[in-house]
Amino acid sequence: MNKRTRTLATALVTTLALAVTGCSGGDTPGGARNGKNPAATNSGAVLGGTPQKGGTLTVLSNQDFTHLDPARNWVMGDMDFGTRLLYRTLVTYAAAPGTRGGALAPDLAEDLGTPSNGARTWTFKLKPGLKYEDGTPITSRDIKHNVERSFSPDLPGGPDYAARYLAGAEGYQGPAGGKHLASVKTPDERTIVFDLRTPFAEFPFAATLPTFAPVPPSQDKGPQYDNRPFSSGPYKVDSYARDKRLVLVRNTHWDPKTDTVRKAYPDRIVVTMGLKANQIDDRLIAAAGPDASAVPWDKLRPESTPKVLTKPDIRARLLAESTSCTEMVQMHTGRAPFDDVRVRRAVQYALDREAVLTASGGPALNDPATALMPGVLFGGKQPDTLGIPLTGDVAKAKQLLKEAGKADGFTTRITVSNGDKAVGEAVQQSLGRAGIKVTIETVDPSAFYDTIGDTKNRTDLVYTGWCPDYPSGSTFLPFVFDGRYIKEKGNSGNHSLFRDDTTMKRMDQIAAMTDADQAAKAWRELDGQILAKAPTAPAVVERRPLLIGTNIAGAFGHTSYGGQLDYATVGLKDPSKSAN
């Protein structure tokens, strides 16, 4: 179909939202393998009732944010926090649990955009009366500025949809020196027009990303903007001591009449950083004093799970929404010995996913991954593409290493986040059975993606995952396996550094398909074809277990943000009981 009208775009949104429906149920990724998942009792529910306005919401965290600059913010939890509290985007997701969270809602824009020219052009009109934290108006030129600054070499790591789809973007290096993109037009202060190099009916989904938030040029401090984003959302930064504490207070110029999604219940939001993960778990289990009004930033530690699941009153405060993210061991395919597909396949066969699953919290919080894309993109359940036993096949792994001239094995290194050290040990023991000796390097979560994104200095193996930005294969496979977008620094997604001409040609062919069902089928087929070339070894699909305090209300895990708490609606039952 060559014509893309607003009706078709809306139908596509509906189709994609319905695709998420297949993700719910006891036999889907993230659920227990046998019977109902005991950690998923509250999946799709809102805990604590409707919040009261006021008080201080405390966020207990073991880390700082990776980035809050909207040009660099591309980690699920950080995007949730940034786009729900500090800045608004052209389009956003509905504040609703379960499948309803996959629905789109206009944000800064009056609607979901108007396509023309066969979906190669998208036009958005901003709502009237939008203001920044100082009362100055938000303009279309500010959104254009942030889109352009996302190309800047000194602002790496952010979403690269603009680079992939905007016409004439090849070689563009940002607005420094007065250089601008002709494919982003602002005919007046409330209108912005995007000219794309290819039809892109899913563009409204991309417009939910922080790239499409406004940044006024007068406030742009380059890399330092990360420390003090200028607010277009319901809160503004009061103070920010990196790795220690972030305090948000109300943006009095945010007008709730222009915002159908964010409720902004608390008066203040305080993020306390640098805490030990087990300390956070114990404090939230006890929920004493101010901790009754607290929520965690990171997921419940595996060793804390029994303390929660065995006590009904505590389990009732547990959120465990599916992340729709596939965790995997990614191998540096451009560096020996992982430039040999036989060595990479040996890793796939040696990996004990049962051990990795246990280290990640057990079957109550995970399912073993049997494909690359999560089950939501397969209509509900991943296929078992390779048919490798859950505990691996060491004999097959050794045979493949022998064929590759590595019968005696070899040594290598893996980088994992501090919170995944136990997972790293499970990978280490798995591969060790086949003669692959692995040294583990741990990195603080806030520096993890910058570390593994340095392609020249990173380790051969990294343990990380990918979550689709919205329920389409176009947001998964191209971002993880298209070699044309690998960056020397700030590299995101393709941490296997996989460059395969056949794969990239097929990606282009699928992207050009105008039939959504045909494209979805083609992405699923390509998933298996890539997996056979073994750039990664899929490990688990996780839920995100979050234990909230007893005074928390309006809490649910948002499926479009990797199961993270939706900060658009969370608040307190009794604000008077919170910290000052």
Side-chain angles (χ1 to χ4, degrees), residues 260-278:
T260 62
V261 174
R262 299 166 186 83
K263 302 305 179 186
Y265 289 115
D267 288 334
R268 298 170 76 242
I269 298 174
V270 177
V271 183
T272 302
M273 307 170 193
L275 303 172
K276 294 184 182 299
N278 58 345

Side-chain angles (χ1 to χ4, degrees), residues 4 16 20 74 106 223 261 273 284-285 306 309 311 338 340 343 350 357 363 399 407 445 449 500 527 536 553 574:
R4 296 283 181 173
L16 293 174
V20 184
W74 206 13
V261 174
M273 307 170 193
L284 287 170
I285 288 171
L309 297 184
K311 298 179 180 179
F338 296 103
D340 189 325
V343 172
L357 184 147
Q399 175 191 334
Y449 289 102
D500 180 73
D527 186 286
T536 74
D574 184 349

Side-chain angles (χ1 to χ4, degrees), residues 1 4 198-199 506-515 519 523:
M1 292 177 287
R4 296 283 181 173
T198 185
R506 184 56 178 156
M507 287 178 180
D508 290 343
Q509 292 171 343
I510 301 172
M513 293 178 180
T514 56
D515 185 309
W523 287 124

Side-chain angles (χ1 to χ4, degrees), residues 9 303 364 388 392 395 541:
E303 50 267 45
I388 300 173
V541 178

Side-chain angles (χ1 to χ4, degrees), residues 108-131:
L108 292 175
E110 291 184 328
D111 53 33
L112 301 183
T114 302
S116 57
N117 189 26
R120 286 182 174 86
T121 299
W122 283 86
T123 302
F124 295 85
K125 189 83 169 180
L126 302 190
K127 297 171 182 174
L130 300 170
K131 296 179 181 180

Side-chain angles (χ1 to χ4, degrees), residues 78-100:
D78 295 1
M79 287 198 297
D80 172 30
F81 192 89
T83 61
R84 294 317 221 185
L85 300 175
L86 287 171
Y87 33 81
R88 299 172 65 178
T89 48
L90 285 171
V91 178
T92 191
Y93 287 103
T99 59
R100 290 181 292 145

